Amino acid sequence: MNYQNLTLNELKKIIKDKNELSHFLSSVSSYYEIKNEFNTKTNSIKLNFLNNKKETNINDEKITYKKNKVDYKNLILNLKKLFKELLESDVEKKQLNEKEIKYVKNLIFEILKWRTGKTHKFFKNDIEEYKNLKSKPILYVRNLTKYYPFKKIPTINKLNFSVFPGEFHAFIGANGAGKTTTIKSLITSYQNWSGTILVDGKPNISESAKKKIGYIPEKANFPERISTLSYLKWMVTLSGINPKDAKEIAKEKLKELGMWNLRHRSPNTFSSGQKKKILLAQALIHNPDIIIMDEPVANLDPKSRINFFDTLLKLKNKNKSIFISSHVLAELDIYADSLTILDGGKIIYSGKKDKLLKKFDNNEYLIKIDPKDSQKFLKLVNVKNVEIINVSIEKGEFLLKTNDQKLIKNIQKIMVDNKIFINSFNKNLPSLENIYKNLIIYGSVDTLNEVKK
């Protein structure tokens, strides 16, 4: 539909068609700010359309939209006239039913919401707070909020978290909790959000911030009929590096990741693990400070996952920050030293992993001994303030619980004095997976919406 010469009947059709309405909103609201006053008693709307300031690489007078030149200045004037006619005449004549009137209200609400997000409101107090930090994070997020069309509850709501240099930061949550939405906002793939995102102290929408970020998506898509070396050379050139240096940089990254022997093959012929290595090489070509990944080990076999995580660990040891979204919590438990957990679009924990583990520490100790000493051991530990939670006499495994640290040392001494051979004596810390199960209530934002209904 041509929005340039929109008629009243066409506007009515848009209001009644959710897909067309969403299309219409994304077109109109991206470049113009719309303010309104809605009187629910009289069903009247006062609209003020204001030209927005010029955007980077955007000509406010005319832009290309669906291969058609759209004059947004005249479009806005026409829309203003149509809204007035629609809401002052048709509503009064009862030509719109309640459902259609609700669509009109939502239309105004959605345009406002999209426009609010488009402004990238970097709050001054957040930036001042960052400047006053003694230890500066490479990624600093405050009050990050993102709405989708026709959703009254935000998909992500006032997210606050930080990632520091050299950290392996796990980003965890159920499907639909807002992980991908957050990541796409961080890398500026999504534009219509509000809040503050700083990368090395610079707004993430700035060129200097973008140069600090490497990104690996969940799915690998490569051009047809191109060799791996040619593809990486092309990507190096696109990142602004001199074409003369592109081949050497691509060669260096392929050798680092053990892919040099496959340089003449198309990446489309590779296994899933090999494709992820090419994506990693692509993410590293401009030497970023933080690598952001969305489900990078999805569909990889166990060996490929281990190899991939080991590669990330090497990067971490070079003081690169790793920000990774994954559902494989057992692996994240091994590699991550900090994490953020989302539930229903909100953060329920963000910080060091050790701090979270201590919070759920039940003071349990897993002891493994020679099975022939099991009965002797049971008699020795049958003392006050020690609870025997689980016993496997045949295997010589015992799970004890006590809040008395001195008592634990005494038990160790008694075992040695009585010549009980100790295979292991370790604190039984909860797994990340068990903690996650205890913390998550809603899961996805859609579940949260159902609960609130």
Side-chain angles (χ1 to χ4, degrees):
M1 188 178 291
N2 184 1
Y3 296 146
Q4 179 60 56
N5 300 307
L6 200 64
T7 65
L8 182 60
N9 287 332
E10 286 174 334
L11 181 59
K12 291 178 183 177
K13 288 180 181 179
I14 289 173
I15 291 170
K16 293 180 180 181
D17 186 333
K18 282 192 174 183
N19 290 329
E20 187 64 39
L21 183 54
S22 178
H23 198 192
F24 169 75
L25 288 170
S26 63
S27 171
V28 177
S29 64
S30 293
Y31 298 96
Y32 283 83
E33 181 176 1
I34 299 176
K35 292 185 177 181
N36 82 95
E37 296 174 9
F38 193 94
N39 189 322
T40 54
K41 293 182 179 179
T42 61
N43 283 327
S44 63
I45 293 181
K46 180 183 178 183
L47 292 173
N48 294 306
F49 293 82
L50 306 172
N51 285 344
N52 193 17
K53 292 181 180 179
K54 200 172 263 190
E55 303 265 350
T56 305
N57 299 324
I58 295 294
N59 185 325
D60 270 350
E61 293 296 323
K62 293 182 179 181
I63 67 166
T64 301
Y65 183 76
K66 272 195 162 184
K67 297 183 179 180
N68 293 323
K69 292 288 183 180
V70 179
D71 186 339
Y72 272 86
K73 185 176 181 180
N74 288 330
L75 169 61
I76 294 299
L77 292 174
N78 188 36
L79 282 176
K80 184 175 181 179
K81 177 183 175 183
L82 289 176
F83 273 118
K84 183 177 180 181
E85 186 178 347
L86 176 68
L87 291 162
E88 290 182 0
S89 62
D90 282 49
V91 172
E92 288 177 2
K93 295 174 184 177
K94 307 295 183 183
Q95 291 183 8
L96 292 177
N97 59 37
E98 288 184 9
K99 185 177 180 181
E100 291 167 340
I101 292 172
K102 184 179 180 181
Y103 273 136
V104 176
K105 293 178 183 178
N106 284 342
L107 177 63
I108 305 303
F109 174 74
E110 293 300 328
I111 292 176
L112 278 169
K113 194 165 61 178
W114 278 61
R115 197 45 242 163
T116 300
K118 185 69 182 178
T119 57
H120 295 306
K121 188 184 290 184
F122 287 85
F123 298 107
K124 288 183 178 179
N125 58 327
D126 291 335
I127 296 174
E128 286 301 317
E129 181 183 310
Y130 174 87
K131 290 179 180 177
N132 293 328
L133 292 174
K134 290 182 179 179
S135 180
K136 297 287 194 295
I138 184 65
L139 178 63
Y140 181 78
V141 178
R142 289 295 179 272
N143 300 304
L144 179 59
T145 301
K146 159 75 178 167
Y147 283 91
Y148 282 112
F150 309 105
K151 300 286 186 181
K152 292 185 178 180
I153 295 178
T155 300
I156 50 176
N157 191 6
K158 297 181 179 179
L159 304 190
N160 296 304
F161 63 90
S162 298
V163 180
F164 289 86
E167 271 192 344
F168 197 117
H169 193 94
F171 196 54
I172 304 169
N175 288 330
K179 301 188 302 299
T180 297
T181 297
T182 302
I183 287 174
K184 288 191 174 182
S185 299
L186 296 179
I187 64 172
T188 69
S189 178
Y190 283 163
Q191 297 291 313
N192 47 326
W193 46 264
S194 64
T196 299
I197 304 175
L198 301 180
V199 180
D200 199 23
K202 303 292 190 299
N204 69 322
I205 58 174
S206 67
E207 287 302 316
S208 59
K210 290 177 182 179
K211 290 178 181 178
K212 301 283 185 179
I213 299 173
Y215 171 61
I216 300 179
E218 179 180 355
K219 296 180 180 178
N221 295 306
F222 302 102
E224 297 293 334
R225 300 184 182 88
I226 189 171
S227 72
T228 299
L229 181 59
S230 296
Y231 171 72
L232 279 182
K233 281 166 56 182
W234 177 49
M235 296 307 295
V236 173
T237 305
L238 285 178
S239 68
I241 295 173
N242 190 320
K244 292 181 180 180
D245 301 324
K247 184 175 181 179
E248 286 303 312
I249 293 172
K251 179 180 177 181
E252 178 188 342
K253 295 305 173 188
L254 286 173
K255 285 188 173 182
E256 280 181 12
L257 298 172
M259 298 292 289
W260 178 245
N261 291 337
L262 301 175
R263 63 190 180 279
H264 296 308
R265 279 179 54 185
S266 167
N268 289 299
T269 65
F270 291 166
S271 67
S272 296
Q274 290 170 330
K275 286 179 179 179
K276 285 298 166 74
K277 281 192 174 183
I278 299 305
L279 289 179
L280 181 57
Q282 176 185 326
L284 294 173
I285 53 178
H286 58 293
N287 194 29
D289 290 328
I290 181 169
I291 300 99
I292 297 175
M293 292 163 278
D294 191 2
E295 295 289 345
V297 294
N299 303 318
L300 297 190
D301 61 75
K303 184 178 179 181
S304 296
R305 288 205 305 269
I306 292 170
N307 289 338
F308 189 82
F309 274 112
D310 285 345
T311 303
L312 295 182
L313 194 59
K314 290 176 183 178
L315 291 170
K316 177 186 182 303
N317 292 336
K318 294 180 180 178
N319 209 38
K320 302 291 185 185
S321 299
I322 308 297
F323 183 88
I324 180 171
S325 163
S326 176
H327 288 294
V328 189
L329 299 186
E331 289 171 337
L332 293 179
D333 208 350
I334 297 171
Y335 296 95
D337 48 25
S338 63
L339 68 156
T340 295
I341 303 176
L342 281 182
D343 186 26
K346 294 183 178 181
I347 290 177
I348 54 176
Y349 179 80
S350 187
K352 291 292 184 181
K353 187 184 75 174
D354 288 347
K355 186 178 179 181
L356 182 64
L357 291 177
K358 286 178 181 178
K359 186 178 179 180
F360 284 84
D361 184 1
N362 291 321
N363 291 311
E364 295 176 353
Y365 296 82
L366 181 61
I367 303 168
K368 296 181 181 180
I369 62 174
D370 190 325
K372 66 181 178 60
D373 294 326
S374 293
Q375 292 293 349
K376 186 196 296 186
F377 175 75
L378 279 175
K379 291 178 181 178
L380 291 172
V381 297
N382 187 18
V383 295
K384 188 179 179 181
N385 296 329
V386 174
E387 181 183 354
I388 302 174
I389 299 174
N390 196 12
V391 175
S392 176
I393 294 175
E394 295 79 11
K395 294 181 179 179
E397 295 181 1
F398 303 87
L399 187 62
L400 308 183
K401 181 176 180 178
T402 179
N403 295 323
D404 192 338
Q405 297 299 314
K406 290 181 179 180
L407 195 54
I408 288 297
K409 291 181 179 179
N410 288 338
I411 289 173
Q412 292 173 332
K413 186 177 183 304
I414 290 170
M415 291 174 70
V416 173
D417 292 342
N418 285 270
K419 298 180 181 180
I420 295 175
F421 184 78
I422 304 172
N423 289 323
S424 63
F425 196 122
N426 297 312
K427 198 161 193 179
N428 190 40
L429 291 173
S431 68
L432 193 55
E433 188 170 352
N434 288 334
I435 292 174
Y436 177 80
K437 289 176 181 177
N438 286 327
L439 288 175
I440 296 300
I441 298 173
Y442 301 109
S444 73
V445 177
D446 290 334
T447 305
L448 178 62
N449 290 342
E450 290 298 320
V451 171
K452 291 198 172 185
K453 286 179 183 178

